[in-house]
Amino acid sequence: MRLMTLTPWLSLASLAFAADKPDLTTKHEAGRCAIRGHCGSQSFFGSQLPCPDNGLASKPESALRDHIVSVCGPAWQDTDVCCTDEQVETLESNLKKAQNIISACPACKTNFFDLFCTFSCSPDQSLFINITQTVPKGDKFLVTELDHLISDEFGTAFYDSCKDVKFGATGGRAMEFIGGGAKNYTSFLKFLGDKKPFLGSPFQIDFPRPSSKDFGDMETILTDAKPCNSTDEQYRCACVDCESSCPALEPLEEVKECHVGLLPCLSFAVLIIYAVFITLLVLAVSGHIAAARHRQSQNERLQLLQDSEMHDDEEESDVLGRSTQGLPADRPTQPYKLNTYIDRFFSSLARTCARFPAITISSSVLVVALLCLGWMRFAIVTDPVDLWVAPDSDAAQEKHFFDKNFGPFFRAEMAFLVNDTGPAGAGPVLSYETLKWWFDVEERVAKMKTPENGIQLSDVCYHPTGDACVIQSLTQYFGGEFDNLDKDDWASQLEDCVASPVNCLPPFGQPLPIQRLLGGYNYSTESVTDAQALVATWVVKNHNPSEVKELAMAQEWEDAARDLLLEVMEEAKERGLRVSFTTESSLEEELSKTANTDATIIVISYIVMFIYASLALGSTTVTASMVLRNPSQALVQSKFSLGVVGIAIVLMSVAASVGLFAALGVKATLIIAEVIPFLVLAVGVDNIFLIVHEFERVNISHADESVEDRVARALGRMGPSILLSALTETVAFALGAAVGMPAVRNFAAYAAGAVAINAVLQVTMFVAVLAVNQRRVEAGRMDCVPCVMLSSKKGSGAYGAGAFSGVEEEGWLSRFVRKRYAPALLGNWMRVAVVTVFLAFFAVGIALLPEVQLGLDQRIAVPTGSYLIDYFNDLYDYFGAGPPVYFVTKDLNITDRRGQQEVCGRFSTCEAFSLANVLEQERKRPEQSFIADATASWIDDYFHWLNPELEECCVDGSTTCFADRTPSWNISLSGMPEGEEFVEYMLRWLKAPTTEDCPLGGSAPYGDAVVVDEKSLTISASHFRTAHTPLRSQNDFIDAYAAARRIAKEISDKNDGIEVFPYSKFYIFFDQYATIVRLATSLVGVALAFIFVIATVLLGSLATGIVVTVTVAMIVVDIAGTMALAGVSLNAVSLVNIVICVGIGVEFCAHIARAFTIPSPSILERAPSNLKGKEARAWAALVNVGGSVFSGITITKLLGVFVLAFTKSKIFEVYYFRVWLALVVWAALHALVFLPVALSMFGGKGYIDPESDGGLEQDLAGRRYRALLPEEEEYDSDEY
């Protein structure tokens, strides 16, 4: 809408007279005029100017008096006047235009009308008007400047009554239209009085302050301006338009961060608890050491006589968990029945599979092949909404409701022009030459045709008021025409438009706030020429997925616009400027590039792990000396092909899991494709290493048994350990399937299935392949090429030939663990140090938990070097407006008066806490509400459209709709329509155009904002639009969403008849953060609970189950603390990683815990003499499976993770490389350092191994394990 002049009522007709001098205001007294009549104009197109007339006021004729009363009110019924018919006609015409803007506030309207009615017609005109300048016009004089005396009291009250008035669907302030955005009453009056030939006063009106000088006989006569919070309902304005009329909202409780000095309370508490614990530990250990030494000194002679020296290590059992009994009593003496049953089951299973390898392998491959048939239904989800938002969540349902009723949110194509490429940094971006070029850029964008179908912007843009597209740009102040910009005065033109956007309306007719057009400067104190960034936005209409043709047209135009703007980026560089931009399609396109970039790195990572795992498995019985001395024997003993089969089983399990869940309709995600092979490889390789290493031991200790029996023994021992780890991991992952978030739920289902299938294949297919491979070895056939026989003598090197085959059974890693690492780790002081250090890590991790930020910065999600990175940076740095937010109502019974009062805001009987009033009050505390703009309230604009005083709005024939209505239209709502009549007029209003004469028409601003149900006489859906404050960080977006939720709940709670929810385009992506902390905590907590139960049951020890569970918890906490330090925020991606951390943490710990609970007798009996009881079992666990855990999972994962460091994808570098590196490091440290120490101190009872034969037979068999034969060494006692 283009606002016409508000003050041409000042062009009054005066009596024509001939004079040599103008009739200036020489007399200032009551009953005397100062100006009267029109004396002509200064130019052909100029407005009529008044004549000076200091004569007496006159009594108007009856018709003129009636006309004045109809315009200015009954106060003019019995008074003389200084105006004529033509003057009153002009006054009426222009006051109606002002009334369209300010009629919502009766006090403002009354004061505005009083000011200009008094100025034009008051009989005491000369008391407050003094002509200061005239120009001759023929035989007349034209008034060109005058003083108008207004009291400070009236001016202040007048401004206060109008300053908060809102106007129309834009929700803009009326002061922008009638006062040029004035911040005080003097600026307001100055704007009204400044000479503006086309859009303001035709002559200069000065408003000097009464106290500025002596004005002689002049005085002010307007002193009683109506306040907007008047107790008189006739003048009282609604809360939306008058802050002092608003009810006070309940103050929000500020979330105060607890600090003790500089430390957060949590950190302080953790520090105190840790310090107390360490102090008590030191005191207890020191006291016990002193007591032990004292007892040792007293009993030394007795000990020598008995030849039974008591080690102080044995005396410290109550603190460090050592046994005080001799070696025989240290060994477990009882079996664990459940373990025995599980052992026998796996032994039988292995014996069967080894006896019938062909059937086992073929049936396994067949089952996997059948499961892979599900790949025919395989589908990948890439839409972020479908990935991260649960379909039944409030956010998803609300988005569906909004899109269904109002259509999808607009497609925004935005560009920034920034001047920050110089050595001095950012500087002003605007210049005449730059503007000339940018006008051309926008013209090219508007006229560009797509190469495929010739689609232009006009074919796809949003144009609510006609053919003009909505383009938010500085160029639109000038209609997009560069010729309208003056080369010498362009800066002043721009300043004027910024000061009063209504004077520079774009072709689509709505004011453009400067915050959406320029950035990088202070909007209040700096000039627009200081702006460092220019912003342009092309608004394209969006469509639902079902509207395929329209959606394809929009995307086609966006592709062409992207190509054009990429060219513009290069043009900007030549000018020393920088352009950044985005289209609606850009983010998805760039994310696809990320996936393609990641794929290469991921494949390389897998290949590295595959090669290492295959080589490492093959080297279990092949040493460097063997390769040099007997290469043919090395080719036989190699297990490279076995390793390849193990890796193939991992891939088969992933393929089978994907096929199974694809058949069930569970869609895959890129996370599943990228992560699950990585995950299953880590889990599966470790189990393979354990089986192979145990089988090699059995080959030595039971060399004379058949291959089937040896395989049965190996799996009988390792099977329960594999069951423990696989079951806990499967349960931990399966728990994630209960989460509503599709990305997490689907990942958890696929991961649980892959881990379970992998475990089944390992104890069946792999065992069968292991038996076949052993027969190959004993037959002297070459690895990888078994048809080649290198040794025909069955005994020249095969394990089955005898106890000592010349093969070095123990590698350097196992030897290092047995001889150096395990004894040193389990020394007394070392154990205290380990507990102290790891509890310190745990305490620091807890203290850092609150520092883990929420969110996923979009700049991380796109590839390094993407043009979108500059765009997101500029968006945060320069864009001064926030995203729009809609408060949506559902099934609103607004045809009833009660329902109307619960949502309206501009009528005196609206509920104090109505929807509009609450939003208006929240706008006044933006730091807490994140609401910046006034609300576009359709019901208020609809009812004001019915106002009969607006003669160009609701019209029936030649009269206004509510002209003769009883009760009449009024500010108390008593005359407003209800029921069927409400719907009837509503439908008319929604079709009414928005014009200059009637800016309240509903077609353009509200055509798609209200859904009317004519049958049930309800509004099935409607929205009230406002906008957030500028949001410049992930925390801002999260807090804004939370605030909108709070506000909507408050509105619904205070108004029983309405249901409200907030909607903004970004809410769907930030809904996860409302519950993600609770969700992560619940997932980890429940997973740990299941781990505790499963570990306790399968290990037969409550204490050991607690130790394992606590260790896994410490791993997760330490990883979370590392996330805080490494800048990894908590979001759906990292939530998946946390679930992985729990599963992998169990994998690291489970095997060591079981080897501790049920130790290998042949290893345990060789424990150093200074290690007794639980210490000896911890030593045996490390020797038995420590090497497998380190080489099978730690090194494998580290190699794969290190490859990820070379990715070009920032999201992979942050959320996968950093987190997985932390996972491998922390899990390995806890499993190989902390867990053995904790088990040696706090672990539960042990049980005998069902595979142990006992007696001399087992002793002799054990001696065949050369790695454990006593050597010429002494195990130093780590005595205190």
Side-chain angles (χ1 to χ4, degrees), residues 1261-1273:
R1263 294 178 185 276
R1264 303 169 90 171
Y1265 191 176
R1266 297 176 61 228
L1268 294 180
L1269 289 176
E1271 299 185 11
E1272 297 299 325
E1273 60 178 328

Side-chain angles (χ1 to χ4, degrees), residues 760-922:
V760 172
L761 290 176
Q762 284 174 336
V763 298
T764 54
M765 180 178 174
F766 183 76
V767 166
V769 174
L770 180 64
V772 172
N773 182 75
Q774 182 61 26
R775 293 190 181 99
R776 174 194 63 77
V777 172
E778 295 179 5
R781 296 183 180 274
M782 180 177 172
D783 189 23
C784 297
V785 190
C787 57
V788 178
M789 183 175 293
L790 299 179
S791 176
S792 59
K793 296 181 180 180
K794 185 181 180 182
S796 61
Y799 275 134
F804 304 105
S805 60
V807 176
E808 180 67 42
E809 295 88 357
E810 186 180 31
W812 68 269
L813 179 60
S814 298
R815 187 182 304 108
F816 171 77
V817 171
R818 177 177 61 83
K819 295 176 63 176
R820 304 297 180 192
Y821 177 70
L825 178 67
L826 296 173
N828 296 328
W829 280 112
M830 180 60 73
R831 290 193 291 162
V832 173
V834 166
V835 171
T836 302
V837 171
F838 276 81
L839 286 180
F841 288 149
F842 184 56
V844 172
I846 293 176
L848 288 173
L849 288 179
E851 303 303 318
V852 178
Q853 300 297 310
L854 302 181
L856 174 58
D857 195 323
Q858 292 169 306
R859 290 169 289 192
I860 293 178
V862 298
T864 303
S866 169
Y867 65 87
L868 287 182
I869 294 177
D870 282 342
Y871 163 74
F872 288 125
N873 289 334
D874 292 340
L875 182 68
Y876 288 146
D877 294 341
Y878 297 117
F879 197 51
V885 54
Y886 303 85
F887 286 85
V888 183
T889 63
K890 300 170 66 174
D891 297 323
L892 190 61
N893 185 23
I894 206 168
T895 58
D896 175 73
R897 182 74 70 230
R898 174 67 177 171
Q900 296 167 1
Q901 292 170 332
E902 288 182 331
V903 297
C904 71
R906 293 184 179 173
F907 295 88
S908 58
T909 59
C910 295
E911 291 290 333
F913 294 99
S914 68
L915 185 150
N917 283 343
V918 169
L919 290 179
E920 175 60 20
Q921 285 298 82
E922 292 288 355

Side-chain angles (χ1 to χ4, degrees), residues 106-287:
C108 176
K109 173 195 167 187
T110 299
N111 294 332
F112 196 95
F113 276 46
D114 283 352
L115 174 65
F116 288 105
C117 285
T118 301
F119 176 86
S120 301
C121 295
S122 172
D124 302 324
Q125 214 175 50
S126 64
L127 285 177
F128 56 88
I129 290 180
N130 183 53
I131 298 172
T132 58
Q133 185 175 324
T134 61
V135 296
K137 175 79 173 188
D139 58 353
K140 302 178 182 179
F141 288 89
L142 308 179
V143 175
T144 58
E145 187 170 357
L146 57 79
D147 289 339
H148 184 189
L149 206 60
I150 296 291
S151 69
D152 291 335
E153 293 76 13
F154 181 87
T156 300
F158 177 31
Y159 172 78
D160 288 343
S161 69
C162 295
K163 66 179 181 180
D164 294 322
V165 177
K166 309 304 180 302
F167 168 65
T170 64
R173 296 169 64 241
M175 189 57 66
E176 299 288 345
F177 292 82
I178 64 172
K183 304 300 181 184
N184 51 57
Y185 81 93
T186 56
S187 299
F188 182 25
L189 295 177
K190 181 179 183 303
F191 179 84
L192 292 175
D194 281 348
K195 181 179 180 180
K196 303 181 187 69
F198 298 104
L199 296 174
S201 173
F203 56 94
Q204 180 66 34
I205 305 174
D206 297 318
F207 291 92
R209 304 283 30 89
S211 59
S212 62
K213 65 178 182 179
D214 183 8
F215 288 93
D217 295 331
M218 293 180 66
E219 62 182 61
T220 61
I221 65 171
L222 288 173
T223 58
D224 58 344
K226 302 295 186 293
C228 62
N229 64 341
S230 173
T231 55
D232 188 341
E233 194 173 277
Q234 181 181 357
Y235 302 112
R236 184 178 181 84
C237 301
C239 166
V240 173
D241 300 311
C242 177
E243 181 176 0
S244 55
S245 293
C246 292
L249 294 178
E250 296 178 4
L252 298 178
E253 294 184 7
E254 294 186 12
V255 179
K256 296 182 178 180
E257 296 185 0
C258 177
H259 282 78
V260 178
L262 298 177
L263 287 177
C265 288
L266 177 62
S267 302
F268 181 78
V270 169
L271 181 64
I272 293 298
I273 294 172
Y274 177 72
V276 170
F277 176 83
I278 295 302
T279 301
L280 293 177
L281 180 63
V282 170
L283 291 176
V285 171
S286 300

Side-chain angles (χ1 to χ4, degrees), residues 380-395:
I380 291 183
V381 181
T382 57
D383 188 341
V385 174
D386 295 334
L387 281 175
W388 309 121
V389 183
D392 57 349
S393 68
D394 290 341

Side-chain angles (χ1 to χ4, degrees), residues 920-977:
E920 175 60 20
Q921 285 298 82
E922 292 288 355
R923 182 184 67 86
K924 295 169 184 175
R925 52 182 186 187
E927 297 82 7
Q928 296 171 309
S929 69
F930 292 87
I931 299 295
D933 288 359
T935 303
S937 173
W938 61 265
I939 188 171
D940 290 312
D941 286 350
Y942 165 47
F943 281 161
H944 278 286
W945 178 77
L946 298 174
N947 188 345
E949 294 182 357
L950 306 180
E951 297 180 355
E952 301 298 328
C953 290
C954 186
V955 179
D956 286 327
S958 59
T959 61
T960 56
C961 300
F962 280 38
D964 302 317
R965 187 180 181 87
T966 303
S968 62
W969 188 99
N970 62 79
I971 203 71
S972 68
L973 289 179
S974 60
M976 300 303 172

Side-chain angles (χ1 to χ4, degrees), residues 1028-1080:
H1028 282 301
T1029 55
L1031 306 177
R1032 306 191 184 281
S1033 68
Q1034 292 292 291
N1035 284 339
D1036 283 352
F1037 281 100
I1038 294 169
D1039 293 342
Y1041 175 64
R1045 281 284 179 199
R1046 173 188 59 78
I1047 294 169
K1049 184 178 185 302
E1050 179 181 344
I1051 294 171
S1052 299
D1053 290 345
K1054 291 183 180 295
N1055 300 278
D1056 296 334
I1058 60 176
E1059 179 184 353
V1060 182
F1061 69 84
Y1063 177 81
S1064 189
K1065 189 176 182 179
F1066 71 88
Y1067 285 178
I1068 194 74
F1069 303 109
F1070 287 85
D1071 177 66
Q1072 58 181 286
Y1073 301 110
T1075 58
I1076 196 167
V1077 173
R1078 184 169 65 252
L1079 177 60

